[in-house]
Amino acid sequence: MENYSIVEALKMVLTSGNMLAWGLYYMGKFVGTGICMGIGAIGPGVGEGETGAHAMDAMARQPEMVGSIRINMLLAMAVAESTGLYSLVISLIMLFVLP
Amino acid sequence: MINEKVTKYLIIVFLSLYIVLGIVNLFVFNSELSGVGQRWIVSINGKTGFMNEVNPMTLIMSFAIMIGLIIFASTVKFRLVPEKKRQTVFELLFEFYWGIVEDAVPNPKYRKPVFVIGVSFFLYVLVSNLLGGMPGISVSPLSNGKVSVEMFTDTWYTPTSDLNVNAAYAISVLIISHVFSAHSKGVWKWFKGFFEPIIFLLPLNIIGEIAKPISHSVRLFGNIMGGGILVLIVSYMLKYFLIPVFLWGFFGWFVGLIQAFVFSLLAIAYIGSAVE
């Protein structure tokens, strides 16, 4: 018995499996992609909303600091976005890279 | 400087060229999402695997950007009294980065190398991200092993949408930070830093160090690659005619500028936190 990697095992399922295996495989792939992207978008949304809200507060309190606050707000948003991007990368791998 | 009339004519010429090419693309090329997420990969010695394959477009575009940046940098002459606008722009950029480096690196001895590293990363990543917002030559592999080259149907290939490039830069930042740390603290003190609070936290410290380049590289990769694929998926009904302009502007220029800044800032912050 040889050892197969995950991708080779999936290819074997797709070439020699029956229709039920196909259906289950694609169902798992698409449902997994949707769940990954949907849940992964919650955290960055909350984080960016908090960042924007507090930046607005600070801008209203100190209108002369608008320039530096805006730059730092965009920077913090870009860093807070990264967890959502990890789930985006994983869902893209599930959609396009897997056979 | 170009006067306003020439600028106006150039804009009109560019827009008409863009519209003509858009109409041509609308009818000539079929709108299939065939090559999404596919890379042109060439095997060196007939085998597959990590060490035996290269990405030709990544190599070509990386070296083109590097050579272009070097040629551009050789044309910028710094004088005591600025003569051109180019010098003023670069002085503003360098002063901005020097302020960041002064805040991040406490030891004045290491400020100049960290500044050079950070600004180099910023310029390279910025140029390659901005290429992702301009329409140009796109290369995608076909299923029969050949390569299709299309003009102005997609943006230029950006090296930063390849995870290998980003991971190489992030790992080099990690190595540089540890070398600087060992150089500034001494090798024994740097080695003791892994056992910092108590000796049982060694695995946690090592995992924390490994997590740095992963998050550093995947952040840039996800932004650029995800933006490109999102533009393709949203706009393939109107085959690169109207919507992609705004999406390319957003994902290529706005997100690209911010992510280039974030990448270099995190590189400076990682090196600065390691140097004592």
Side-chain angles (χ1 to χ4, degrees):
Chain A
M1 194 65 193
E2 292 175 56
N3 289 320
Y4 292 106
S5 69
I6 298 172
V7 176
E8 285 170 353
L10 286 174
K11 274 179 185 166
M12 274 182 62
V13 166
L14 291 183
T15 50
S16 62
N18 54 7
M19 296 298 280
L20 187 64
W22 273 74
L24 281 175
Y25 170 65
Y26 276 107
M27 192 191 79
K29 193 170 130 175
F30 293 136
V31 170
T33 307
I35 289 174
C36 173
M37 201 56 240
I39 295 178
I42 295 174
V46 173
E48 288 190 25
E50 287 284 315
T51 312
H54 290 296
M56 294 290 160
D57 285 347
M59 281 179 197
R61 202 172 294 129
Q62 278 180 306
E64 70 272 10
M65 293 282 287
V66 167
S68 69
I69 287 173
R70 187 180 295 132
I71 290 173
N72 286 322
M73 180 189 78
L74 288 175
L75 201 68
M77 278 183 174
V79 175
E81 221 179 27
S82 59
T83 50
L85 288 163
Y86 304 154
S87 67
L88 175 71
V89 169
I90 287 171
S91 59
L92 286 180
I93 287 171
M94 276 202 269
L95 268 184
F96 294 121
V97 177
L98 288 185
Chain B
M1 283 302 293
I2 310 165
N3 56 18
E4 286 185 8
K5 218 170 185 180
V6 180
T7 317
K8 212 183 280 177
Y9 282 128
L10 276 177
I11 289 172
I12 290 169
V13 165
F14 177 76
L15 275 180
S16 53
L17 189 75
Y18 179 76
I19 289 169
V20 166
L21 282 170
I23 291 170
V24 166
N25 285 332
L26 197 63
F27 291 110
V28 170
F29 297 109
N30 53 347
S31 16
E32 285 174 0
L33 284 173
S34 58
V36 173
Q38 301 290 317
R39 288 275 184 272
W40 178 28
I41 294 170
V42 170
S43 177
I44 300 171
N45 47 10
K47 288 182 234 165
T48 58
F50 181 70
M51 299 298 284
N52 301 320
E53 287 173 336
V54 290
N55 236 339
M57 280 309 285
T58 304
L59 287 177
I60 293 168
M61 292 305 287
S62 313
F63 278 98
I65 289 167
M66 284 180 210
I67 292 167
L69 271 176
I70 289 169
I71 290 171
F72 181 75
S74 66
T75 64
V76 181
K77 298 276 191 297
F78 283 99
R79 301 244 162 72
L80 199 60
V81 179
E83 290 173 353
K84 291 177 179 172
K85 278 185 182 173
R86 211 177 274 174
Q87 181 184 351
T88 320
V89 170
F90 274 91
E91 278 183 358
L92 276 173
L93 177 75
F94 288 170
E95 270 188 38
F96 182 64
Y97 264 92
W98 185 252
I100 291 171
V101 170
E102 272 185 333
D103 290 342
V105 184
N107 193 346
K109 210 173 100 185
Y110 295 98
R111 274 177 193 163
K112 203 180 170 194
V114 175
F115 169 77
V116 170
I117 291 164
V119 175
S120 313
F121 275 135
F122 175 73
L123 287 175
Y124 178 84
V125 177
L126 178 73
V127 172
S128 55
N129 284 353
L130 292 190
L131 281 181
M134 298 174 197
I137 303 165
S138 66
V139 175
S140 59
L142 299 174
S143 57
N144 53 6
K146 287 176 183 171
V147 171
S148 75
V149 180
E150 291 182 2
M151 290 280 286
F152 296 104
T153 59
D154 200 355
T155 56
W156 291 94
Y157 182 87
T158 60
T160 46
S161 70
D162 188 354
L163 188 54
N164 298 314
V165 176
N166 303 334
Y169 290 148
I171 290 169
S172 71
V173 166
L174 181 80
I175 292 170
I176 287 168
S177 74
H178 277 278
V179 168
F180 277 21
S181 171
H183 190 260
S184 70
K185 294 175 187 168
V187 175
W188 178 241
K189 210 179 169 191
W190 164 77
F191 187 70
K192 247 170 53 178
F194 284 106
F195 307 99
E196 201 35 61
I198 46 171
I199 199 165
F200 303 109
L201 289 181
L202 173 68
L204 275 183
N205 281 329
I206 290 175
I207 290 172
E209 289 301 318
I210 293 172
K212 270 183 191 176
I214 292 176
S215 76
H216 198 186
S217 58
V218 172
R219 177 177 297 122
L220 183 60
F221 168 73
N223 265 293
I224 306 303
M225 180 80 187
I229 286 178
L230 209 65
V231 172
L232 275 178
I233 289 173
V234 168
S235 65
Y236 89 110
M237 288 174 285
L238 267 175
K239 194 56 183 177
Y240 311 123
F241 188 48
L242 193 62
I243 300 176
V245 185
F246 307 108
L247 291 175
W248 282 338
F250 180 74
F251 285 108
W253 292 73
F254 180 69
V255 174
L257 182 64
I258 289 175
Q259 290 303 321
F261 183 54
V262 167
F263 191 86
S264 57
L265 193 71
L266 282 176
I268 291 172
Y270 284 156
I271 299 173
S273 69
V275 173
E276 198 169 59

